[in-house]
Amino acid sequence: MYQWISMISLWAIPVMIAFILVLGWSRSVPVYETFVEGAKGGLTTTIRILPHLVAMMVAVTMFRQSGALEWLLSLLAPLLHILHIPEEIVPLALLRPITGTGSLAVATDMIAQYGPDSFLGRLAATMQGSTDTTLYVLTVYFGAVGIRNSAYALRVGLWSDLAGVIFSLIIVSYVFG
């Protein structure tokens, strides 16, 4: 079974690309020219969203380097203890809506420190997969298309992230606890 899954994962992307190319060719689509036009559009979008990306990266770096994260953790420690929430998971829960790379670094550090089969390793992996980078998505994608009023999307996204964190805690505690 493992060999089949490995084979499928190895060939999935090349087969999909070949399928798209053959399908485009069979429908007389100028595949290369269409690709180049898409790449031009991607470059234009990249230039348009670059200021948003820089602003988000500066804000995340300032949050982590200023000590604000540690200060917030010290404030939340009594509540976390009452709710039986591991303090080690809070940086991941706080950073995940902001930055995918930053939260992946936190999750990777936790898995390296505690092990992939530990409660915290499983919780970090589940939380990483159950939440999204809400603020990043709003900043980049809404900025790219010029949407200015993102209040409802922000609320829905953050509530969804909170639900992902809560259900990650519940399910991992129930299944592996």
Side-chain angles (χ1 to χ4, degrees):
M1 183 60 138
Y2 178 76
Q3 289 178 333
W4 280 102
I5 293 172
S6 294
M7 184 69 70
I8 290 169
S9 66
L10 180 68
W11 284 99
I13 292 177
V15 167
M16 186 171 51
I17 291 171
F19 175 74
I20 291 169
L21 291 173
V22 169
L23 183 66
W25 175 76
S26 70
R27 296 184 177 180
S28 301
V29 173
V31 177
Y32 180 76
E33 292 79 7
T34 304
F35 173 79
V36 170
E37 283 300 314
K40 285 181 191 175
L43 185 58
T44 303
T45 302
T46 301
I47 291 169
R48 199 170 51 229
I49 66 173
L50 191 59
H52 302 283
L53 287 171
V54 171
M56 183 60 76
M57 286 190 281
V58 167
V60 168
T61 303
M62 286 175 43
F63 180 70
R64 291 183 77 189
Q65 299 297 324
S66 69
L69 180 60
E70 288 78 19
W71 177 76
L72 187 60
L73 282 175
S74 68
L75 286 177
L76 293 174
L79 178 64
L80 297 172
H81 182 70
I82 291 169
L83 296 173
H84 303 288
I85 297 173
E87 191 174 317
E88 298 86 358
I89 204 70
V90 175
L92 177 61
L94 292 174
L95 286 175
R96 182 66 176 145
I98 300 169
T99 170
T101 305
S103 64
L104 182 60
V106 171
T108 301
D109 289 346
M110 287 181 65
I111 291 169
Q113 182 177 357
Y114 299 105
D117 292 329
S118 68
F119 177 79
L120 287 172
R122 289 176 172 152
L123 182 57
T126 304
M127 196 175 291
Q128 186 76 8
S130 301
T131 56
D132 199 1
T133 54
T134 300
L135 298 177
Y136 176 83
V137 167
L138 291 178
T139 301
V140 173
Y141 299 119
F142 280 33
V145 295
I147 296 174
R148 298 287 176 229
N149 187 5
S150 60
Y152 293 115
L154 177 63
R155 283 187 215 134
V156 169
L158 291 178
W159 279 112
S160 298
D161 288 332
L162 180 62
V165 168
I166 291 169
F167 284 107
S168 294
L169 284 161
I170 292 169
I171 290 170
V172 172
S173 294
Y174 179 73
V175 174
F176 300 108

